[in-house]
Amino acid sequence: MENKYDLIIIGGGPAGLTAGLYAGRARLKTLILEKLSCGGQILLTETVENYPGFPGGISSSDLMGNIEEQVMKLGVKILEEEVKQLEKAAVSWRIKTAQAQYDAKAVIVAVGSVPKTLGVEGEKLLMGKGVSYCATCDGPLYRNKTVAVVGGGDTAAEEALFLTRFAAKIFLVHRRSSLRATEILAQRLKENTKVSPVWNSVVKEISGQNKVEAIVIKDANTGKEEKLFCDGVFIYVGRSPDTGFLANLVNLDEHGHIITDTQMRTSQAGIFAAGDCRKKILRQVITACSDGAVAVHCAQQYLSKTQ
Amino acid sequence: MENKYDLIIIGGGPAGLTAGLYAGRARLKTLILEKLSCGGQILLTETVENYPGFPGGISSSDLMGNIEEQVMKLGVKILEEEVKQLEKAAVSWRIKTAQAQYDAKAVIVAVGSVPKTLGVEGEKLLMGKGVSYCATCDGPLYRNKTVAVVGGGDTAAEEALFLTRFAAKIFLVHRRSSLRATEILAQRLKENTKVSPVWNSVVKEISGQNKVEAIVIKDANTGKEEKLFCDGVFIYVGRSPDTGFLANLVNLDEHGHIITDTQMRTSQAGIFAAGDCRKKILRQVITACSDGAVAVHCAQQYLSKTQ
């Protein structure tokens, strides 16, 4: 009995915690399973300036700590366990972690999505110190500075265009000789005098003392290495959501993001998804929180119709 | 020149202000037009307990004041003018208020949506003091209390079911002799011993000193009046968004809510909608804020492709 819940939320980032908040208020018997400690990817960012409600910005750890406290006050249980398996049980869903197993009438998957890294020297060390994966979040910090954007797809192109509003100069580093991005975006980048394309090149190293100072690039044809001085590096080489355990259960897109409708329903009745792990247009704390609230609302509707 | 903007946001509630926040950060030349003062419908609620980030809750005026301050710090202009007309101009959209006219390359409509009132004595006076239009928001205040739900559609049925998690007794007051709600919801209400249907009845008055104490109902067949003692009244007789000025411009649903896709695009390129005025499943501060962020992100994409 103690391992049976109305709702289990997998993941304790902004989406999972907000789902916990709404589920707790709805008096659903709720469990949040988070493999590390709560907070999510946003903890890699020091200060959150674009979450509505904090005019001076707020540290990401304070913001997420606040939300976690808000959830715990409602009596929602949070366990630090990694979900290994999710499968259909007799009248519910069964979740297995390394430690135990749990049954839930409905499940909200909110496992987030990690930007792919280049895996080069200096990248990890300078993350949040000039290395960024989100121009919408960090662009305003680079007013009149020089930045490098790495990647050649639509996201890289859009974010590079966005950065032209702030930065004085933008190196666009791509391993091919032209962009994969939509032609109109590629055209606009070409026309923008702030943007210098660096074709056929891969990043070998990100260097700097305490903050990004330069990147070392290597020409794929000639093998020649070169140092480009810059204040920030924005990396757009894809994302990988941690949705492997769902592969044969719900529909995923080609990158592994969960496909839902506007009610956060996946292709399996009773399984909902919220936040960055969804296929969606904008990944921000505020959009993740909203997903969490909607997922609970629709999970409640589902429960009231099936229980 | 001074009346030309990249983006004009109509409405200064949670959706409009968050759009202002994201637009300001994106350095779009932005104007927010709000007919009253900023804040929106949420100002009718004293304390907001379900907005993530404030473990002790926050007064609605503080929350909205914070967001407005966050927007103004970015230099976004906010004017108190009511929009009378929105029409296509040569290369942009023209907005007319009683005072002036403005041109914008893109427009975000975030005018909100007002729950329809019963228009009976005591309703306005006791709003926020027992009279509520949102069980998701105010339900937790009625633990072990008696409430009345007014209405017979799906929303009334769902919210009445939701209230069974808190209240000890629920009068379901409907002017007809059966619910319009989906059969399965109607069935669950019927089976729930906490719910007492009050058929063929209309509310004539809501009474109480400083807080709701009772409602007076009138039987539509016999004309007989009766007093039902209760601590709260939840009213679900529809919503009316203030979208009349858009009627011949963008697609609206039968209630006047704006139909958008997940990118907040309306049926007119360049016009986006965000928040409660959209046709959507859940109307909360957090979902409105999220809409505002997404609308700006997609407006930016639109501008970068069309400018």
Side-chain angles (χ1 to χ4, degrees), chain A residues 11-15 17 34-51 58-69 80 112-115 124-129 131-134 137-138 239 276 283-286 288:
Chain A
L17 287 176
E34 162 59 48
K35 65 176 173 176
L36 304 165
S37 53
C38 284
Q41 279 293 308
I42 187 66
L43 295 181
L44 297 178
T45 303
E46 202 158 321
T47 307
V48 185
E49 292 185 338
N50 60 9
Y51 185 80
I58 180 170
S59 83
S60 62
S61 61
D62 283 354
L63 176 59
M64 297 316 298
N66 282 355
I67 305 180
E68 189 177 352
E69 189 187 332
E80 286 185 13
S113 167
V114 186
K124 214 169 170 181
L125 195 73
L126 296 168
M127 222 173 254
K129 293 169 182 165
V131 173
S132 172
Y133 304 85
C134 178
C137 317
D138 301 327
R239 302 186 71 90
D276 286 4
R283 292 186 172 85
Q284 295 279 292
V285 173
I286 191 74

Side-chain angles (χ1 to χ4, degrees), chain A residues 25 70, chain B residues 42 45-51 54 56-61 63 285:
Chain A
R25 289 175 59 84
Q70 209 171 349
Chain B
I42 187 65
T45 303
E46 202 159 320
T47 308
V48 185
E49 291 184 340
N50 60 9
Y51 185 79
F54 300 93
I58 179 170
S59 83
S60 62
S61 61
L63 176 59
V285 174

Side-chain angles (χ1 to χ4, degrees), chain B residues 2-112:
Chain B
E2 73 268 32
N3 279 358
K4 290 188 190 305
Y5 292 87
D6 293 323
L7 178 67
I8 291 180
I9 298 160
I10 307 176
L17 288 177
T18 303
L21 168 60
Y22 272 74
R25 288 175 59 84
R27 298 185 84 181
L28 296 174
K29 192 184 172 197
T30 304
L31 170 67
I32 297 177
L33 293 168
E34 163 59 48
K35 66 175 173 178
L36 304 165
S37 53
C38 283
Q41 279 293 308
I42 187 65
L43 295 181
L44 297 178
T45 303
E46 202 159 320
T47 308
V48 185
E49 291 184 340
N50 60 9
Y51 185 79
F54 300 93
I58 179 170
S59 83
S60 62
S61 61
D62 283 354
L63 176 59
M64 297 316 299
N66 283 354
I67 306 180
E68 189 177 350
E69 189 187 332
Q70 209 170 347
V71 173
M72 295 210 297
K73 274 186 170 180
L74 295 165
V76 172
K77 199 166 172 179
I78 303 177
L79 293 176
E80 285 185 15
E81 297 183 21
E82 183 172 1
V83 173
K84 299 289 187 188
Q85 207 185 324
L86 169 59
E87 61 183 27
K88 189 108 189 86
V91 288
S92 62
W93 292 97
R94 179 152 300 162
I95 288 173
K96 290 180 182 163
T97 69
Q99 293 85 345
Q101 69 177 35
Y102 306 94
D103 282 359
K105 293 172 191 159
V107 175
I108 295 175
V109 180
V111 294

Side-chain angles (χ1 to χ4, degrees), chain B residues 135-244:
Chain B
T136 303
C137 318
D138 301 327
L141 303 171
Y142 294 90
R143 211 165 274 201
N144 301 320
K145 303 216 165 159
T146 299
V147 298
V149 171
V150 185
D154 271 354
T155 306
E158 279 167 3
E159 301 284 70
L161 272 175
F162 181 74
L163 286 164
T164 61
R165 298 178 179 278
F166 307 97
K169 185 175 179 64
I170 295 153
F171 294 113
L172 182 55
V173 182
H174 186 40
R175 62 196 163 131
R176 297 209 176 81
S177 60
S178 68
L179 296 178
R180 277 183 296 112
T182 313
E183 182 48 32
I184 192 158
L185 292 170
Q187 190 60 33
R188 287 199 184 281
L189 282 169
K190 212 171 170 180
E191 287 164 3
N192 196 304
T193 53
K194 286 183 172 182
V195 179
S196 296
V198 184
W199 303 125
N200 302 310
S201 297
V202 293
V203 178
K204 296 292 288 179
E205 187 191 330
I206 301 171
S207 63
Q209 299 279 56
N210 295 318
K211 60 176 205 59
V212 168
E213 289 165 15
I215 57 174
V216 178
I217 55 162
K218 182 180 175 179
D219 188 302
N221 297 331
T222 64
K224 212 186 100 190
E225 295 196 359
E226 193 187 346
K227 202 167 198 172
L228 299 177
F229 292 92
C230 57
D231 306 290
V233 190
F234 289 84
I235 299 165
Y236 300 105
V237 293
R239 303 185 70 88
S240 45
D242 193 11
T243 53

Side-chain angles (χ1 to χ4, degrees), chain A residues 112-114 238-243 250-260 275-280 283:
Chain A
S113 167
V114 186
R239 302 186 71 90
S240 45
D242 193 10
T243 53
V250 305
N251 290 343
L252 306 176
D253 75 1
E254 69 274 28
H255 305 292
H257 290 113
I258 301 166
I259 296 169
T260 71
D276 286 4
C277 65
R278 280 207 309 133
K279 177 179 164 75
K280 64 189 309 201
R283 292 186 172 85

